[in-house]
Amino acid sequence: FGVDKDSVNIVLNGAGINPNYDETWGIVAGDNDSYLAMIDFMQNNDLSIPANYNYVSTLIDVSSTIDYFCQSTFFIKKDWPTGNSKVWQGGNDSLWRWLSYDFDSGWGYLGPSHNTLLHAAHPTGNTPQNPPYATLKFRSLLDSEEFRQAFINRYACLLKNEFSADTVHAAIDRFVDMYT
């Protein structure tokens, strides 16, 4: 992205809004001021109203967000969305983008029948990994018809291509061969 490292904000999911910690918790780099302002807007405004969603889309990289939630739900990350979830912001556009990392507790831990999409959008949380503060952004975004349709369309495309069984098996085989 060509961003000066001193201009980057990186925060954990729930930074400043995790009820167990103070507002400075979860800051990895920079500050969380604009993140907290974005979260406040998402908590207090209905994103099913196009003007509200349009405003949020000036704060986040929508395509990055959609790809992030597609891959995180597809790989069934056990300790997510509370853990292993960061967002970053920096550079000229100052949009928030999601960071993907730590997939070691995916697939095998919860199994292919786990409804990770419901888990990621659960309004009250049904495990310690998805309390309401951790699912807020995705739940709010799904209230927008525009976001929901873009998410569905992108997921369908990924399932036919990058997430297809043939593509995933080929990638696994490449890594097995490389490490063998």
Side-chain angles (χ1 to χ4, degrees):
F1 288 91
V3 175
D4 179 352
K5 68 179 184 174
D6 294 329
S7 72
V8 174
N9 297 316
I10 302 173
V11 298
L12 300 175
N13 187 25
I17 61 168
N18 183 327
N20 299 316
Y21 301 98
D22 69 24
E23 274 195 5
T24 62
W25 175 86
I27 299 171
V28 177
D31 64 59
N32 66 353
D33 296 340
S34 64
Y35 177 80
L36 291 176
M38 176 183 68
I39 294 299
D40 182 65
F41 186 87
M42 293 176 89
Q43 282 179 318
N44 294 303
N45 293 277
D46 181 357
L47 296 193
S48 70
I49 299 170
N52 291 339
Y53 172 72
N54 290 341
Y55 174 70
V56 169
S57 70
T58 69
L59 306 175
I60 64 171
D61 180 327
V62 174
S63 63
S64 162
T65 303
I66 289 172
D67 281 351
Y68 173 79
F69 283 104
C70 287
Q71 57 87 17
S72 292
T73 56
F74 180 79
F75 289 107
I76 314 172
K77 293 168 67 174
K78 177 185 177 212
D79 46 3
W80 175 85
T82 300
N84 300 325
S85 184
K86 294 179 188 172
V87 292
W88 72 276
Q89 172 197 58
N92 294 331
D93 66 16
S94 293
L95 297 176
W96 285 100
R97 293 176 170 85
W98 273 249
L99 292 167
S100 297
Y101 68 101
D102 196 359
F103 290 83
D104 62 331
S105 67
W107 279 341
Y109 281 85
L110 299 174
S113 64
H114 184 265
N115 188 337
T116 311
L117 188 57
L118 176 62
H119 176 83
H122 204 285
T124 60
N126 57 358
T127 74
Q129 285 75 36
N130 70 336
Y133 77 85
T135 64
L136 171 72
K137 290 184 292 295
F138 190 48
R139 280 186 290 114
S140 296
L141 289 166
L142 286 173
D143 287 341
S144 163
E145 181 66 24
E146 182 178 340
F147 179 87
R148 190 170 48 256
Q149 286 306 309
F151 177 78
I152 290 167
N153 291 339
R154 177 66 173 152
Y155 218 132
C157 180
L158 289 169
L159 288 170
K160 289 180 183 176
N161 297 291
E162 289 85 352
F163 296 166
S164 73
D166 289 343
T167 303
V168 172
H169 287 149
I172 291 170
D173 290 345
R174 276 194 310 275
F175 279 103
V176 167
D177 290 347
M178 181 175 67
Y179 287 112
T180 301

